Amino acid sequence: FSFLVFIECKSITVLTGAGISVASGIPDFRSSGGMYDTLRPELITATPDERRAMEMDPTSVVEKGMFMQNQFPYLEVRRPFILGTQSHKWKATISHRFADLLHTKLPNKLARVFTQNIDGLDFQCEALNLDHKIVPVHGTIGKVACEFCGIEANYEQFCHDVRANIKDIYGVDEDAPKESSSILCKN
């Protein structure tokens, strides 16, 4: 850490992945008990071909190609994550706060925080967020845009639409609709 304060250290770039969010209680996709391990295609609103694809390769549920054909598999699987992110169910970890501390204590040295995480926990670090230092390379659940037209959508409205239109395949939200219905672009 001492090297970071020396004049020879011109800039700092932080690269993060799933490991820094696991401590907040978010399971990563690939671990035992993670999303791919617990995926149950038979519960998802999908065609037989889409279910077969998810059975053969669970990662297909998060692929853009499937989403563009049918939004329900992704939204049904990610419903609790989307709504949990909105309610701040998970908090930034000490690793997230370390990047924030670097930016605060060593002004002008932190160039960027590149994160593979979509959980949005980096955006809870106000200094990083205000100075636009965060680059979510796979996108973020904390901001939404239409996949077709690209126009940014209202995040709170999107979460409302997820709550009202997307069924709960995990059986934890008794107020969830029994069947999913499309969330359409408002633009």
Side-chain angles (χ1 to χ4, degrees), residues 159-186:
C159 292
H160 169 78
D161 291 346
V162 167
R163 186 174 281 105
N165 295 31
I166 304 301
K167 74 179 184 180
D168 171 20
I169 61 171
Y170 302 100
V172 296
D173 183 358
E174 60 187 42
D175 296 327
K178 300 300 177 214
E179 298 296 324
S180 292
S181 59
S182 295
I183 296 176
L184 302 176
C185 180
K186 308 285 192 242

PDB file of all heavy atoms in Angstrom, residues 159-186:
ATOM      1  N   CYS A 159     -38.377  -1.289 -11.700  1.00  0.00           N
ATOM      2  CA  CYS A 159     -38.538  -2.196 -10.554  1.00  0.00           C
ATOM      3  C   CYS A 159     -40.010  -2.396 -10.222  1.00  0.00           C
ATOM      4  O   CYS A 159     -40.429  -3.516  -9.897  1.00  0.00           O
ATOM      5  CB  CYS A 159     -37.764  -1.663  -9.349  1.00  0.00           C
ATOM      6  SG  CYS A 159     -35.981  -1.732  -9.581  1.00  0.00           S
ATOM      7  N   HIS A 160     -40.807  -1.340 -10.317  1.00  0.00           N
ATOM      8  CA  HIS A 160     -42.255  -1.463 -10.121  1.00  0.00           C
ATOM      9  C   HIS A 160     -42.838  -2.445 -11.139  1.00  0.00           C
ATOM     10  O   HIS A 160     -43.657  -3.307 -10.796  1.00  0.00           O
ATOM     11  CB  HIS A 160     -42.930  -0.089 -10.247  1.00  0.00           C
ATOM     12  CG  HIS A 160     -44.417  -0.166 -10.307  1.00  0.00           C
ATOM     13  ND1 HIS A 160     -45.208  -0.364  -9.188  1.00  0.00           N
ATOM     14  CD2 HIS A 160     -45.272  -0.120 -11.365  1.00  0.00           C
ATOM     15  CE1 HIS A 160     -46.466  -0.430  -9.558  1.00  0.00           C
ATOM     16  NE2 HIS A 160     -46.536  -0.283 -10.875  1.00  0.00           N
ATOM     17  N   ASP A 161     -42.407  -2.306 -12.398  1.00  0.00           N
ATOM     18  CA  ASP A 161     -42.902  -3.186 -13.453  1.00  0.00           C
ATOM     19  C   ASP A 161     -42.470  -4.633 -13.219  1.00  0.00           C
ATOM     20  O   ASP A 161     -43.250  -5.562 -13.460  1.00  0.00           O
ATOM     21  CB  ASP A 161     -42.418  -2.712 -14.825  1.00  0.00           C
ATOM     22  CG  ASP A 161     -43.053  -1.392 -15.250  1.00  0.00           C
ATOM     23  OD1 ASP A 161     -44.054  -0.968 -14.630  1.00  0.00           O
ATOM     24  OD2 ASP A 161     -42.522  -0.778 -16.203  1.00  0.00           O
ATOM     25  N   VAL A 162     -41.256  -4.843 -12.750  1.00  0.00           N
ATOM     26  CA  VAL A 162     -40.789  -6.199 -12.433  1.00  0.00           C
ATOM     27  C   VAL A 162     -41.659  -6.780 -11.324  1.00  0.00           C
ATOM     28  O   VAL A 162     -42.129  -7.921 -11.414  1.00  0.00           O
ATOM     29  CB  VAL A 162     -39.296  -6.208 -12.037  1.00  0.00           C
ATOM     30  CG1 VAL A 162     -38.895  -7.536 -11.402  1.00  0.00           C
ATOM     31  CG2 VAL A 162     -38.422  -5.899 -13.249  1.00  0.00           C
ATOM     32  N   ARG A 163     -41.894  -5.996 -10.282  1.00  0.00           N
ATOM     33  CA  ARG A 163     -42.710  -6.466  -9.158  1.00  0.00           C
ATOM     34  C   ARG A 163     -44.136  -6.804  -9.616  1.00  0.00           C
ATOM     35  O   ARG A 163     -44.706  -7.813  -9.205  1.00  0.00           O
ATOM     36  CB  ARG A 163     -42.746  -5.392  -8.064  1.00  0.00           C
ATOM     37  CG  ARG A 163     -43.449  -5.836  -6.791  1.00  0.00           C
ATOM     38  CD  ARG A 163     -43.338  -4.800  -5.668  1.00  0.00           C
ATOM     39  NE  ARG A 163     -42.018  -4.899  -5.045  1.00  0.00           N
ATOM     40  CZ  ARG A 163     -41.025  -4.021  -5.232  1.00  0.00           C
ATOM     41  NH1 ARG A 163     -41.186  -2.981  -6.004  1.00  0.00           N
ATOM     42  NH2 ARG A 163     -39.871  -4.190  -4.633  1.00  0.00           N
ATOM     43  N   ALA A 164     -44.695  -5.985 -10.510  1.00  0.00           N
ATOM     44  CA  ALA A 164     -46.085  -6.153 -10.937  1.00  0.00           C
ATOM     45  C   ALA A 164     -46.262  -7.150 -12.079  1.00  0.00           C
ATOM     46  O   ALA A 164     -47.331  -7.762 -12.192  1.00  0.00           O
ATOM     47  CB  ALA A 164     -46.652  -4.794 -11.366  1.00  0.00           C
ATOM     48  N   ASN A 165     -45.235  -7.348 -12.914  1.00  0.00           N
ATOM     49  CA  ASN A 165     -45.411  -8.127 -14.142  1.00  0.00           C
ATOM     50  C   ASN A 165     -44.673  -9.464 -14.180  1.00  0.00           C
ATOM     51  O   ASN A 165     -44.977 -10.282 -15.047  1.00  0.00           O
ATOM     52  CB  ASN A 165     -44.933  -7.317 -15.354  1.00  0.00           C
ATOM     53  CG  ASN A 165     -45.757  -6.090 -15.614  1.00  0.00           C
ATOM     54  OD1 ASN A 165     -46.300  -5.489 -14.703  1.00  0.00           O
ATOM     55  ND2 ASN A 165     -45.852  -5.683 -16.860  1.00  0.00           N
ATOM     56  N   ILE A 166     -43.711  -9.662 -13.323  1.00  0.00           N
ATOM     57  CA  ILE A 166     -42.861 -10.857 -13.429  1.00  0.00           C
ATOM     58  C   ILE A 166     -43.144 -11.807 -12.262  1.00  0.00           C
ATOM     59  O   ILE A 166     -43.058 -11.415 -11.091  1.00  0.00           O
ATOM     60  CB  ILE A 166     -41.366 -10.457 -13.476  1.00  0.00           C
ATOM     61  CG1 ILE A 166     -41.094  -9.491 -14.625  1.00  0.00           C
ATOM     62  CG2 ILE A 166     -40.485 -11.701 -13.553  1.00  0.00           C
ATOM     63  CD1 ILE A 166     -41.450 -10.014 -16.018  1.00  0.00           C
ATOM     64  N   LYS A 167     -43.468 -13.052 -12.617  1.00  0.00           N
ATOM     65  CA  LYS A 167     -43.801 -14.036 -11.578  1.00  0.00           C
ATOM     66  C   LYS A 167     -42.570 -14.394 -10.749  1.00  0.00           C
ATOM     67  O   LYS A 167     -41.426 -14.253 -11.178  1.00  0.00           O
ATOM     68  CB  LYS A 167     -44.429 -15.281 -12.187  1.00  0.00           C
ATOM     69  CG  LYS A 167     -43.475 -16.202 -12.919  1.00  0.00           C
ATOM     70  CD  LYS A 167     -44.218 -17.428 -13.457  1.00  0.00           C
ATOM     71  CE  LYS A 167     -43.271 -18.401 -14.106  1.00  0.00           C
ATOM     72  NZ  LYS A 167     -43.977 -19.581 -14.614  1.00  0.00           N
ATOM     73  N   ASP A 168     -42.841 -14.860  -9.539  1.00  0.00           N
ATOM     74  CA  ASP A 168     -41.794 -15.252  -8.600  1.00  0.00           C
ATOM     75  C   ASP A 168     -41.616 -16.765  -8.682  1.00  0.00           C
ATOM     76  O   ASP A 168     -42.436 -17.512  -8.144  1.00  0.00           O
ATOM     77  CB  ASP A 168     -42.191 -14.824  -7.187  1.00  0.00           C
ATOM     78  CG  ASP A 168     -41.267 -15.370  -6.125  1.00  0.00           C
ATOM     79  OD1 ASP A 168     -40.123 -15.750  -6.442  1.00  0.00           O
ATOM     80  OD2 ASP A 168     -41.691 -15.432  -4.953  1.00  0.00           O
ATOM     81  N   ILE A 169     -40.568 -17.219  -9.350  1.00  0.00           N
ATOM     82  CA  ILE A 169     -40.345 -18.661  -9.515  1.00  0.00           C
ATOM     83  C   ILE A 169     -39.786 -19.303  -8.249  1.00  0.00           C
ATOM     84  O   ILE A 169     -39.700 -20.524  -8.165  1.00  0.00           O
ATOM     85  CB  ILE A 169     -39.428 -18.972 -10.721  1.00  0.00           C
ATOM     86  CG1 ILE A 169     -38.050 -18.348 -10.547  1.00  0.00           C
ATOM     87  CG2 ILE A 169     -40.099 -18.521 -12.018  1.00  0.00           C
ATOM     88  CD1 ILE A 169     -37.028 -18.775 -11.587  1.00  0.00           C
ATOM     89  N   TYR A 170     -39.432 -18.489  -7.262  1.00  0.00           N
ATOM     90  CA  TYR A 170     -38.848 -19.009  -6.021  1.00  0.00           C
ATOM     91  C   TYR A 170     -39.886 -19.173  -4.910  1.00  0.00           C
ATOM     92  O   TYR A 170     -39.579 -19.726  -3.853  1.00  0.00           O
ATOM     93  CB  TYR A 170     -37.713 -18.099  -5.554  1.00  0.00           C
ATOM     94  CG  TYR A 170     -36.632 -17.961  -6.608  1.00  0.00           C
ATOM     95  CD1 TYR A 170     -36.572 -16.832  -7.426  1.00  0.00           C
ATOM     96  CD2 TYR A 170     -35.700 -18.968  -6.819  1.00  0.00           C
ATOM     97  CE1 TYR A 170     -35.599 -16.711  -8.403  1.00  0.00           C
ATOM     98  CE2 TYR A 170     -34.734 -18.862  -7.798  1.00  0.00           C
ATOM     99  CZ  TYR A 170     -34.682 -17.736  -8.589  1.00  0.00           C
ATOM    100  OH  TYR A 170     -33.735 -17.621  -9.568  1.00  0.00           O
ATOM    101  N   GLY A 171     -41.092 -18.651  -5.109  1.00  0.00           N
ATOM    102  CA  GLY A 171     -42.158 -18.817  -4.132  1.00  0.00           C
ATOM    103  C   GLY A 171     -41.974 -18.032  -2.853  1.00  0.00           C
ATOM    104  O   GLY A 171     -42.455 -18.465  -1.805  1.00  0.00           O
ATOM    105  N   VAL A 172     -41.322 -16.879  -2.893  1.00  0.00           N
ATOM    106  CA  VAL A 172     -41.114 -16.093  -1.671  1.00  0.00           C
ATOM    107  C   VAL A 172     -41.985 -14.840  -1.609  1.00  0.00           C
ATOM    108  O   VAL A 172     -42.149 -14.271  -0.541  1.00  0.00           O
ATOM    109  CB  VAL A 172     -39.624 -15.710  -1.481  1.00  0.00           C
ATOM    110  CG1 VAL A 172     -38.766 -16.933  -1.276  1.00  0.00           C
ATOM    111  CG2 VAL A 172     -39.119 -14.878  -2.636  1.00  0.00           C
ATOM    112  N   ASP A 173     -42.553 -14.428  -2.735  1.00  0.00           N
ATOM    113  CA  ASP A 173     -43.365 -13.211  -2.777  1.00  0.00           C
ATOM    114  C   ASP A 173     -44.802 -13.580  -3.112  1.00  0.00           C
ATOM    115  O   ASP A 173     -45.163 -13.772  -4.268  1.00  0.00           O
ATOM    116  CB  ASP A 173     -42.798 -12.230  -3.816  1.00  0.00           C
ATOM    117  CG  ASP A 173     -43.554 -10.913  -3.871  1.00  0.00           C
ATOM    118  OD1 ASP A 173     -44.563 -10.746  -3.138  1.00  0.00           O
ATOM    119  OD2 ASP A 173     -43.129 -10.034  -4.657  1.00  0.00           O
ATOM    120  N   GLU A 174     -45.645 -13.652  -2.085  1.00  0.00           N
ATOM    121  CA  GLU A 174     -47.037 -14.071  -2.303  1.00  0.00           C
ATOM    122  C   GLU A 174     -47.842 -13.042  -3.091  1.00  0.00           C
ATOM    123  O   GLU A 174     -48.896 -13.367  -3.631  1.00  0.00           O
ATOM    124  CB  GLU A 174     -47.728 -14.391  -0.979  1.00  0.00           C
ATOM    125  CG  GLU A 174     -47.787 -13.221  -0.013  1.00  0.00           C
ATOM    126  CD  GLU A 174     -48.319 -13.607   1.356  1.00  0.00           C
ATOM    127  OE1 GLU A 174     -47.935 -14.673   1.860  1.00  0.00           O
ATOM    128  OE2 GLU A 174     -49.106 -12.825   1.900  1.00  0.00           O
ATOM    129  N   ASP A 175     -47.347 -11.805  -3.196  1.00  0.00           N
ATOM    130  CA  ASP A 175     -48.045 -10.768  -3.957  1.00  0.00           C
ATOM    131  C   ASP A 175     -47.656 -10.750  -5.437  1.00  0.00           C
ATOM    132  O   ASP A 175     -48.223  -9.978  -6.222  1.00  0.00           O
ATOM    133  CB  ASP A 175     -47.771  -9.387  -3.351  1.00  0.00           C
ATOM    134  CG  ASP A 175     -48.333  -9.264  -1.941  1.00  0.00           C
ATOM    135  OD1 ASP A 175     -49.384  -9.886  -1.663  1.00  0.00           O
ATOM    136  OD2 ASP A 175     -47.722  -8.564  -1.111  1.00  0.00           O
ATOM    137  N   ALA A 176     -46.699 -11.571  -5.813  1.00  0.00           N
ATOM    138  CA  ALA A 176     -46.241 -11.602  -7.211  1.00  0.00           C
ATOM    139  C   ALA A 176     -47.334 -12.165  -8.106  1.00  0.00           C
ATOM    140  O   ALA A 176     -48.140 -12.993  -7.674  1.00  0.00           O
ATOM    141  CB  ALA A 176     -44.975 -12.447  -7.330  1.00  0.00           C
ATOM    142  N   PRO A 177     -47.362 -11.737  -9.364  1.00  0.00           N
ATOM    143  CA  PRO A 177     -48.353 -12.316 -10.285  1.00  0.00           C
ATOM    144  C   PRO A 177     -48.069 -13.799 -10.501  1.00  0.00           C
ATOM    145  O   PRO A 177     -46.932 -14.255 -10.355  1.00  0.00           O
ATOM    146  CB  PRO A 177     -48.145 -11.515 -11.571  1.00  0.00           C
ATOM    147  CG  PRO A 177     -46.770 -10.967 -11.492  1.00  0.00           C
ATOM    148  CD  PRO A 177     -46.477 -10.772 -10.034  1.00  0.00           C
ATOM    149  N   LYS A 178     -49.094 -14.542 -10.850  1.00  0.00           N
ATOM    150  CA  LYS A 178     -48.948 -15.992 -11.085  1.00  0.00           C
ATOM    151  C   LYS A 178     -48.314 -16.280 -12.437  1.00  0.00           C
ATOM    152  O   LYS A 178     -47.680 -17.312 -12.627  1.00  0.00           O
ATOM    153  CB  LYS A 178     -50.298 -16.703 -10.984  1.00  0.00           C
ATOM    154  CG  LYS A 178     -50.949 -16.550  -9.628  1.00  0.00           C
ATOM    155  CD  LYS A 178     -50.094 -17.119  -8.518  1.00  0.00           C
ATOM    156  CE  LYS A 178     -50.726 -16.887  -7.164  1.00  0.00           C
ATOM    157  NZ  LYS A 178     -49.755 -16.664  -6.113  1.00  0.00           N
ATOM    158  N   GLU A 179     -48.489 -15.369 -13.389  1.00  0.00           N
ATOM    159  CA  GLU A 179     -47.899 -15.495 -14.717  1.00  0.00           C
ATOM    160  C   GLU A 179     -47.189 -14.191 -15.057  1.00  0.00           C
ATOM    161  O   GLU A 179     -47.629 -13.121 -14.639  1.00  0.00           O
ATOM    162  CB  GLU A 179     -48.969 -15.783 -15.774  1.00  0.00           C
ATOM    163  CG  GLU A 179     -49.722 -17.085 -15.572  1.00  0.00           C
ATOM    164  CD  GLU A 179     -48.822 -18.315 -15.684  1.00  0.00           C
ATOM    165  OE1 GLU A 179     -47.896 -18.317 -16.514  1.00  0.00           O
ATOM    166  OE2 GLU A 179     -49.037 -19.284 -14.925  1.00  0.00           O
ATOM    167  N   SER A 180     -46.126 -14.293 -15.810  1.00  0.00           N
ATOM    168  CA  SER A 180     -45.400 -13.099 -16.238  1.00  0.00           C
ATOM    169  C   SER A 180     -46.084 -12.449 -17.431  1.00  0.00           C
ATOM    170  O   SER A 180     -46.662 -13.135 -18.266  1.00  0.00           O
ATOM    171  CB  SER A 180     -43.957 -13.459 -16.614  1.00  0.00           C
ATOM    172  OG  SER A 180     -43.220 -13.840 -15.467  1.00  0.00           O
ATOM    173  N   SER A 181     -45.995 -11.128 -17.475  1.00  0.00           N
ATOM    174  CA  SER A 181     -46.468 -10.383 -18.641  1.00  0.00           C
ATOM    175  C   SER A 181     -45.365  -9.400 -19.034  1.00  0.00           C
ATOM    176  O   SER A 181     -44.558  -8.988 -18.209  1.00  0.00           O
ATOM    177  CB  SER A 181     -47.783  -9.665 -18.353  1.00  0.00           C
ATOM    178  OG  SER A 181     -47.645  -8.771 -17.270  1.00  0.00           O
ATOM    179  N   SER A 182     -45.330  -9.056 -20.285  1.00  0.00           N
ATOM    180  CA  SER A 182     -44.228  -8.268 -20.845  1.00  0.00           C
ATOM    181  C   SER A 182     -44.080  -6.904 -20.177  1.00  0.00           C
ATOM    182  O   SER A 182     -45.051  -6.268 -19.799  1.00  0.00           O
ATOM    183  CB  SER A 182     -44.446  -8.049 -22.341  1.00  0.00           C
ATOM    184  OG  SER A 182     -44.395  -9.289 -23.010  1.00  0.00           O
ATOM    185  N   ILE A 183     -42.817  -6.480 -20.092  1.00  0.00           N
ATOM    186  CA  ILE A 183     -42.492  -5.121 -19.694  1.00  0.00           C
ATOM    187  C   ILE A 183     -42.075  -4.416 -20.981  1.00  0.00           C
ATOM    188  O   ILE A 183     -41.084  -4.773 -21.603  1.00  0.00           O
ATOM    189  CB  ILE A 183     -41.359  -5.100 -18.654  1.00  0.00           C
ATOM    190  CG1 ILE A 183     -41.805  -5.801 -17.370  1.00  0.00           C
ATOM    191  CG2 ILE A 183     -40.943  -3.656 -18.369  1.00  0.00           C
ATOM    192  CD1 ILE A 183     -40.725  -5.920 -16.313  1.00  0.00           C
ATOM    193  N   LEU A 184     -42.884  -3.455 -21.371  1.00  0.00           N
ATOM    194  CA  LEU A 184     -42.655  -2.781 -22.654  1.00  0.00           C
ATOM    195  C   LEU A 184     -41.889  -1.477 -22.463  1.00  0.00           C
ATOM    196  O   LEU A 184     -41.980  -0.829 -21.423  1.00  0.00           O
ATOM    197  CB  LEU A 184     -44.002  -2.501 -23.322  1.00  0.00           C
ATOM    198  CG  LEU A 184     -44.874  -3.730 -23.585  1.00  0.00           C
ATOM    199  CD1 LEU A 184     -46.219  -3.302 -24.158  1.00  0.00           C
ATOM    200  CD2 LEU A 184     -44.181  -4.712 -24.509  1.00  0.00           C
ATOM    201  N   CYS A 185     -41.154  -1.107 -23.481  1.00  0.00           N
ATOM    202  CA  CYS A 185     -40.419   0.158 -23.503  1.00  0.00           C
ATOM    203  C   CYS A 185     -41.421   1.308 -23.405  1.00  0.00           C
ATOM    204  O   CYS A 185     -42.447   1.310 -24.084  1.00  0.00           O
ATOM    205  CB  CYS A 185     -39.603   0.261 -24.787  1.00  0.00           C
ATOM    206  SG  CYS A 185     -38.653   1.788 -24.926  1.00  0.00           S
ATOM    207  N   LYS A 186     -41.116   2.275 -22.583  1.00  0.00           N
ATOM    208  CA  LYS A 186     -42.008   3.428 -22.390  1.00  0.00           C
ATOM    209  C   LYS A 186     -41.746   4.516 -23.422  1.00  0.00           C
ATOM    210  O   LYS A 186     -42.447   5.522 -23.467  1.00  0.00           O
ATOM    211  CB  LYS A 186     -41.829   4.022 -20.990  1.00  0.00           C
ATOM    212  CG  LYS A 186     -41.936   3.017 -19.861  1.00  0.00           C
ATOM    213  CD  LYS A 186     -43.351   2.594 -19.590  1.00  0.00           C
ATOM    214  CE  LYS A 186     -43.444   1.834 -18.287  1.00  0.00           C
ATOM    215  NZ  LYS A 186     -43.893   0.494 -18.404  1.00  0.00           N
TER     216      LYS A 186
END
